[in-house]
Amino acid sequence: MLDKTFKPGEVETRLYQQWEESGAFRAGTRPKTESFSIVIPPPNVTGNLHLGHALNNTLQDALARFERMRGKNVLWQPGTDHAGIATQLVVERELAKRQLNRKRMGREAFLAEVWKWKEESGGNIVRQLRRLGASCDWSRERFTMDEGLSRAVLKVFVALHKQGLIYKDKRLVNWDPRLQTAVSDLEVENIELKGHLWHIKYPIEGQDGRFITVATTRPETMLGDVAVAVHPEDERYRALLGKRAILPLANRPIPIIADEYTDPEKGTGAVKITPGHDFNDFEVGRRHKLPLINILTPEGALNEQVPEAYRGLDRFEARKRVVADLEAAGLIDKIEDIVHAIPHDEKTKTVVLEPYLTEQWYLNVTSLAEKAVEAVNKGRTTFTPEHWTNVYYNWMSNIQPWCISRQLWWGHQIPAWYGPDGKIFVEETEALAKTAAEKHYGKPTALKRDQDVLDTWFSSALWPFSTLGWPEKTSELKRYYPTSVLVTGFDIIFFWVARMMMMGLHFMNDVPFKKVFIHTRVLDEKGQKMSKTKGNVVDPLDLINEYGADALRFALSLAAGQGKDIRLGLNRVETCRNFGTKLWNAARFCEMNECVRKRDFDPKTATETVNRWIVAETARTVIVVTDSLEAFRFNEAAGAVYHFVWDVFCDWYLEFIKPVLNGNDEDAKAETRDTAAWTLDRILQMLHPFMPFITEELWARMAEHAEPRRSMLMLSPWPDLKALPKHEDATAEMRWLIDLVSGVRSVRSEMNVPPGARIALYMKDANRDSATRLVRHRDEVMTLARLSSARVTTEIPAGSAQFVIGEAVAALPLGDVIDFAKERTRLAKELKKAEDEITRFDAKLSNEAFVSRAPEDVIEEQKEKRAEAAALASRLTEALKRLSG
RNA sequence: GGGCGAUUAGCUCAGCGGUAGAGCAUCUCGUUUACACCGAGGAGGUCGGGGGUUCGAAUCCCUCAUCGCCCACCA
């Protein structure tokens, strides 16, 4: 006997273990069938499951389970990402607690610590995914820095280098002074902040008292100025072209040059040029062959290129000093308050990034991007929802070289070795590099390895094929590449999706996935992004502990629309937990009434109206769920089952069959038991992709007193009910019956039948088809009476039926009852409308402005309209009275 | 500056050419042997404003407004 409620905590772990141990998650168990593959967006190994992960993996799992039940050979490839910066930061923080420091301990020791940390704490997220019920093939779990994947990274790097697509370049990068590494353009977070625009006067050389005024938001960079630029057409400055300005504080003469980059409309029309610390100025400097002065140390302090007074000062300290000194010298023209975007690191959003001149490795992605655009253009990969296609195109067509080196320790170390003269040898191993060097120098030569590591996204970009064994020509690659679908959030379209497309096409000569489903973000109830600092983070594990994984999963599925962000409130999860309880109790009802599965039951053979109806409804729902899941309309699929289970199966079907199950017609009883059990089984199946635990548990428990199941629910075949008859006659009849019951309920309520009063219902038209059919079945009449809180007080005479509710106050024709509530509601609404109209006309007609300006006939017209509305209103009132009376 | 999305019941959202929907909240009634994590019923909306297309628009087009996001720029 089932308990009154489902207890997720007691069941989930056991079922998950059972699934995993059975090998049901393993790919390749059905080698001869069609394949369906998904690669998981690898979560950071440092990570903990947040609601975004929960949504992402719920949807993937729904698809994986759905396709597995449809008989496909499913691979859901799991794994984690080494997450260079995040992990290095976490471990450094841990070490700090033990008074240890990365730089003091050295690279090798530090990396050993990271690996140790990864072994000990890296499994969190994977355990949490299991709690969620994710049916990944854990036997194939990979890590972006494991041996195989690292080999793929080396191979790709070397190949791209040999193809000339990877190269070293010295240019400005976005520099993080705290981590002391370059980051790519994408990793810059521009944050709007209040700031100042300082207008600084630069004296003109040899012309005492004359100045050229420039404006800047970063005054300290003036110490690296090498010119002042004005627009060539700008009359104001024409006379100064070719002259020199004296850079204040540094006391250095710099030329005044003409460049189109300068916008005469902006600021003063004159711009200080600092090629070492501004991306635009860098270009100007290059055009004019200006020198480049770097005034910063990697930590962001001023270096020996600046006057002694400023050396060693942090950039923000230096800013204060520079401004103070300029002010003292009377060289500040004015200070404007402005709001402007300042580049920050995306991780902590607290460190201001600096444009900084360094030598880095770049990947020229122009040609790769072209192919990636073409593939989407030709429909080889499609985006759902479609509008993300444009986002992808836009970024791809403006793509810049990708800075792939990072000055970190944790990551794939770049396979480049330097000879004593700086000659670079890029090879997969040190041995190969040495061989190449020996060949080049004519003798064995000591080499020094590049210290940098690759951007984390470099290895992620290979994920769809590196996890399948590439560069080996494995059978998995052949079978599962391209993968069927990628499920991910829009925030990593550029970081990840686009780069997988490029790498996949380049190295596999085919797209990495045929479809991309982009889901929305999960926000808190108020629509705020969840963040630790705001303290509004909802931990999915807490939700799972309180409501069960099924409830969380179902809530997320129901909310997974294609447009808006998801605002997940607790009450939604609670509603879904209640839904689980409802299902559980429906099963409990079946159990109590011995509705157990009969193996050879054929739904086509049902004869009872109510049974034929539920069979048809079940088939309809399965088809909706199937179609919706195929199109990634998760909310529609989940919504369809929800509605079917609660509003159709529980509210009507189970109520209608009660009198049958308690009656004496043994044939009808047997058929009804079989049908109820059959329907419940189909419900469990179509609900399983969303609520795997409760459905699996019920699947097993419902068979305890019957023939044992052949398999677990997760391996049962997805119901294909397309061939079942539609039973339109039964559906129509049941609809009539349901309307009748609703009508009677409504009548009672609308007429304010006081307790103890009575309404007599009688049959006016005995020939009415449905009515005849209805009264033919005594059981159904009983049901009607029961459901509408009526009591059958007399035998049903031929051609008429009489129900009595309480004491009789009115008699209503049974056939009309159905329409009563609807008619009354309709009339009431029309009446309200008419009354509203009257109010509006009255307001208009008493409006002085209207009366004084409008011509006579318009006013007349308004009055007529008012009269019409009033007439309508009184007619409606009349009709309502008649109806109730 | 460029682009995208949103605006529907008190709240959260679905519907996207054919009589305005769900869940939650609220009100009334009800503890009849699956379920109070329940059941029945009610109240609550000129579908952001304005224009247009159509026999018919929440739905398609134009426009304005507000909010959100992405990209770019910032002397």
Side-chain angles (χ1 to χ4, degrees):
Chain A
M1 178 71 183
L2 296 173
D3 290 339
K4 260 191 156 181
T5 55
F6 172 62
K7 311 248 170 40
E10 296 171 12
V11 172
E12 288 176 355
T13 317
R14 166 170 55 83
L15 283 179
Y16 196 90
Q17 249 172 27
Q18 194 180 317
W19 287 330
E20 204 177 343
E21 279 164 13
S22 74
F25 296 165
R26 299 278 285 268
T29 47
R30 300 171 190 184
K32 290 203 177 123
T33 56
E34 189 188 338
S35 290
F36 179 85
S37 51
I38 305 188
V39 290
I40 203 170
N44 287 357
V45 69
T46 56
N48 276 296
L49 196 77
H50 57 63
L51 276 172
H53 291 127
L55 171 68
N56 180 250
N57 289 289
T58 293
L59 301 185
Q60 289 180 79
D61 193 45
L63 291 176
R65 288 178 186 268
F66 170 59
E67 298 294 359
R68 206 177 278 123
M69 288 171 81
R70 292 218 287 182
K72 291 188 188 167
N73 177 24
V74 171
L75 165 64
W76 183 9
Q77 171 65 50
T80 49
D81 191 285
H82 68 277
I85 292 178
T87 309
Q88 180 160 327
L89 280 177
V90 167
V91 177
E92 276 189 81
R93 212 173 302 139
E94 289 296 314
L95 290 176
K97 286 183 199 157
R98 287 153 48 197
Q99 318 296 328
L100 290 169
N101 172 287
R102 168 169 70 100
K103 288 197 169 156
R104 277 204 305 271
M105 61 198 297
R107 185 168 190 137
E108 210 169 308
F110 177 73
L111 288 181
E113 286 289 338
V114 182
W115 278 109
K116 202 172 119 207
W117 183 89
K118 190 249 165 192
E119 294 312 320
E120 283 164 10
S121 316
N124 258 348
I125 187 102
V126 168
R127 272 193 296 280
Q128 290 165 338
L129 283 172
R130 286 180 162 96
R131 283 294 315 273
L132 189 68
S135 62
C136 305
D137 182 352
W138 297 111
S139 71
R140 300 189 47 84
E141 186 184 344
R142 303 303 297 266
F143 177 56
T144 45
M145 274 183 52
D146 68 26
E147 209 190 318
L149 269 58
S150 299
R151 202 167 59 234
V153 166
L154 290 177
K155 189 127 189 146
V156 164
F157 187 95
V158 172
L160 289 171
H161 181 260
K162 295 217 159 35
Q163 288 157 15
L165 293 172
I166 284 182
Y167 56 93
K168 261 193 128 169
D169 197 7
K170 192 168 188 183
R171 47 188 291 175
L172 289 188
V173 293
N174 299 293
W175 183 260
D176 183 328
R178 189 178 52 137
L179 292 172
Q180 293 168 42
T181 179
V183 296
S184 83
D185 296 349
L186 277 177
E187 289 161 283
V188 178
E189 177 109 353
N190 285 305
I191 302 175
E192 296 244 316
L193 288 174
K194 280 183 197 161
H196 304 287
L197 186 60
W198 285 273
H199 293 248
I200 307 171
K201 298 194 285 186
Y202 289 7
I204 307 294
E205 187 182 41
Q207 301 190 20
D208 267 1
R210 287 201 62 194
F211 301 96
I212 185 163
T213 306
V214 299
T216 180
T217 55
R218 297 186 295 153
E220 73 283 5
T221 62
M222 68 171 287
L223 298 172
D225 283 5
V226 295
V228 172
V230 299
H231 197 271
E233 308 291 320
D234 195 334
E235 295 299 331
R236 293 172 294 177
Y237 300 112
R238 182 153 291 180
L240 292 176
L241 285 178
K243 301 247 171 5
R244 300 202 297 181
I246 302 296
L247 185 64
L249 308 183
N251 241 344
R252 188 150 52 73
I254 52 175
I256 297 170
I257 59 168
D259 195 279
E260 301 272 343
Y261 157 68
T262 313
D263 182 351
E265 306 289 318
K266 260 185 181 170
T268 62
V271 188
K272 63 195 267 308
I273 299 298
T274 323
H277 298 283
D278 183 284
F279 290 101
N280 287 308
D281 294 2
F282 182 80
E283 295 302 321
V284 176
R286 203 148 67 176
R287 274 200 288 281
H288 295 269
K289 303 202 164 50
L290 294 167
L292 184 147
I293 304 174
N294 173 25
I295 62 163
L296 288 179
T297 65
E299 294 85 9
L302 270 58
N303 65 14
E304 72 294 340
Q305 291 289 330
V306 301
E308 195 139 5
Y310 304 100
R311 281 179 204 166
L313 288 180
D314 176 76
R315 55 205 159 126
F316 297 108
E317 273 308 305
R319 178 172 301 173
K320 284 183 201 153
R321 280 284 279 282
V322 164
V323 169
D325 291 349
L326 285 170
E327 225 152 20
L331 292 172
I332 299 280
D333 186 42
K334 62 173 172 179
I335 304 171
E336 270 181 79
D337 288 331
I338 55 161
V339 174
H340 61 149
I342 300 173
H344 285 73
D345 74 299
E346 63 159 5
K347 197 79 209 152
T348 69
K349 304 188 203 315
T350 57
V351 180
V352 176
L353 304 184
E354 292 289 339
Y356 193 61
L357 186 75
T358 56
E359 196 168 34
Q360 302 285 346
W361 291 92
Y362 289 89
L363 171 57
N364 179 356
V365 282
T366 314
S367 61
L368 305 184
E370 271 169 28
K371 278 201 269 177
V373 164
E374 196 198 342
V376 172
N377 236 333
K378 286 196 172 151
R380 289 163 69 194
T381 295
T382 57
F383 284 83
T384 308
E386 211 176 334
H387 71 258
W388 292 113
T389 315
N390 289 325
V391 175
Y392 170 86
Y393 282 151
N394 283 342
W395 189 68
M396 281 296 206
S397 52
N398 297 314
I399 200 161
Q400 297 296 311
W402 175 11
C403 174
I404 52 174
S405 47
R406 298 287 180 275
Q407 286 66 53
L408 304 172
W409 286 353
W410 175 242
H412 298 102
Q413 195 171 354
I414 288 176
W417 284 263
Y418 301 93
D421 57 350
K423 164 88 185 161
I424 304 175
F425 302 92
V426 171
E427 297 292 346
E428 281 176 47
T429 63
E430 184 162 13
L432 285 172
K434 276 187 173 155
T435 312
E438 186 169 349
K439 200 169 156 201
H440 176 76
Y441 294 113
K443 58 176 185 195
T445 310
L447 298 175
K448 229 180 121 197
R449 182 160 187 182
D450 195 308
Q451 292 299 296
D452 291 353
V453 299
L454 285 165
D455 180 5
T456 301
W457 295 103
F458 191 89
S459 55
S460 311
L462 318 179
W463 188 249
F465 53 89
S466 64
T467 51
L468 296 175
W470 191 90
E472 305 302 324
K473 287 195 176 114
T474 60
S475 59
E476 283 92 339
L477 266 180
K478 206 171 159 195
R479 196 185 288 172
Y480 300 114
Y481 192 97
T483 60
S484 309
V485 58
L486 177 78
V487 179
T488 189
F490 65 83
D491 47 336
I492 49 176
I493 290 185
F494 305 146
F495 279 113
W496 195 45
V497 180
R499 284 160 178 175
M500 282 192 285
M501 285 292 288
M502 296 193 282
M503 290 298 200
L505 282 161
H506 195 70
F507 287 98
M508 293 296 296
N509 211 15
D510 199 350
V511 294
F513 21 76
K514 293 175 211 153
K515 294 176 181 171
V516 181
F517 176 67
I518 304 282
H519 62 248
T520 51
R521 290 177 310 172
V522 187
L523 306 176
D524 75 354
E525 279 165 284
K526 290 181 192 128
Q528 302 263 317
K529 212 167 166 176
M530 291 192 190
S531 73
K532 278 183 192 153
T533 47
K534 279 189 209 136
N536 61 345
V537 179
V538 179
D539 185 341
L541 272 300
D542 290 345
L543 293 175
I544 290 174
N545 288 333
E546 184 166 0
Y547 299 105
D550 290 326
L552 173 62
R553 292 170 55 119
F554 203 69
L556 290 168
S557 307
L558 268 179
Q562 303 198 347
K564 279 184 244 184
D565 295 330
I566 298 173
R567 298 189 186 188
L568 195 85
L570 277 190
N571 66 16
R572 283 192 182 210
V573 185
E574 200 178 326
T575 301
C576 292
R577 188 269 320 263
N578 295 354
F579 174 63
T581 308
K582 187 77 182 174
L583 173 73
W584 185 262
N585 277 288
R588 192 157 166 261
F589 173 86
C590 290
E591 188 188 41
M592 290 167 94
N593 286 285
E594 295 163 52
C595 302
V596 290
R597 179 184 72 110
K598 201 167 277 163
R599 193 182 321 176
D600 46 9
F601 173 71
D602 180 359
K604 279 203 285 287
T605 62
T607 56
E608 294 287 315
T609 306
V610 73
N611 291 332
R612 290 162 70 226
W613 166 70
I614 201 66
V615 165
E617 287 292 306
T618 307
R620 211 175 48 76
T621 309
V622 168
I623 290 164
V624 171
V625 172
T626 309
D627 291 351
S628 303
L629 273 179
E630 276 178 355
F632 308 126
R633 292 192 303 261
F634 296 94
N635 55 335
E636 246 178 73
V641 200
Y642 182 90
H643 173 259
F644 177 70
V645 170
W646 205 307
D647 301 345
V648 178
F649 186 67
C650 291
D651 285 355
W652 292 110
Y653 180 72
L654 292 186
E655 294 301 334
F656 277 125
I657 67 172
K658 277 175 185 171
V660 181
L661 294 174
N662 295 326
N664 305 316
D665 185 338
E666 292 304 325
D667 287 349
K669 224 192 241 182
E671 179 192 293
T672 301
R673 281 202 193 108
D674 293 349
T675 310
W678 176 86
T679 307
L680 180 63
D681 274 1
R682 302 294 82 74
I683 287 171
L684 296 180
Q685 285 176 316
M686 62 180 144
L687 208 44
H688 184 256
F690 306 102
M691 303 185 110
F693 294 106
I694 191 173
T695 51
E696 185 75 77
E697 179 69 1
L698 283 175
W699 183 259
R701 297 290 299 274
M702 292 307 290
E704 277 173 2
H705 308 293
E707 302 162 74
R709 302 281 193 193
R710 252 176 304 203
S711 71
M712 291 188 298
L713 174 58
M714 79 165 296
L715 290 175
S716 72
W718 185 256
D720 178 10
L721 307 182
K722 285 205 181 92
L724 279 182
K726 299 271 185 291
H727 291 313
E728 271 154 28
D729 55 333
T731 304
E733 201 164 324
M734 288 304 295
R735 200 164 289 151
W736 192 86
L737 190 55
I738 288 169
D739 280 350
L740 182 62
V741 173
S742 308
V744 173
R745 283 170 178 165
S746 194
V747 167
R748 288 185 64 232
S749 165
E750 291 283 341
M751 294 179 79
N752 282 324
V753 177
R758 189 162 24 161
I759 306 172
L761 304 169
Y762 64 90
M763 198 78 117
K764 193 171 69 176
D765 179 5
N767 293 326
R768 223 172 136 147
D769 283 354
S770 326
T772 315
R773 270 202 300 278
L774 171 72
V775 296
R776 212 169 40 219
H777 297 289
R778 200 188 145 75
D779 281 344
E780 284 169 5
V781 174
M782 297 282 291
T783 304
L784 172 62
R786 214 183 81 80
L787 289 180
S788 53
S789 303
R791 239 170 348 109
V792 180
T793 58
T794 59
E795 281 301 303
I796 302 154
S800 78
Q802 186 169 338
F803 305 96
V804 174
I805 305 170
E807 296 298 315
V809 293
L812 284 170
L814 178 58
D816 292 350
V817 165
I818 300 171
D819 300 323
F820 181 91
K822 284 179 189 167
E823 179 65 5
R824 210 192 125 92
T825 309
R826 194 180 65 79
L827 288 174
K829 274 191 180 164
E830 265 183 53
L831 178 63
K832 187 171 179 272
K833 233 183 227 174
E835 283 170 351
D836 283 356
E837 235 165 84
I838 293 170
T839 317
R840 208 162 54 235
F841 288 132
D842 284 348
K844 206 168 186 182
L845 289 170
S846 67
N847 181 328
E848 272 179 51
F850 174 76
V851 174
S852 64
R853 257 192 282 118
E856 202 60 25
D857 56 328
V858 173
I859 294 178
E860 273 313 303
E861 199 186 310
Q862 293 293 322
K863 280 185 178 163
E864 269 170 41
K865 278 188 186 166
R866 191 206 180 278
E868 272 173 40
L872 178 64
S874 68
R875 252 185 292 134
L876 290 169
T877 316
E878 195 78 359
L880 272 171
K881 260 189 209 155
R882 241 193 345 268
L883 197 61
S884 303

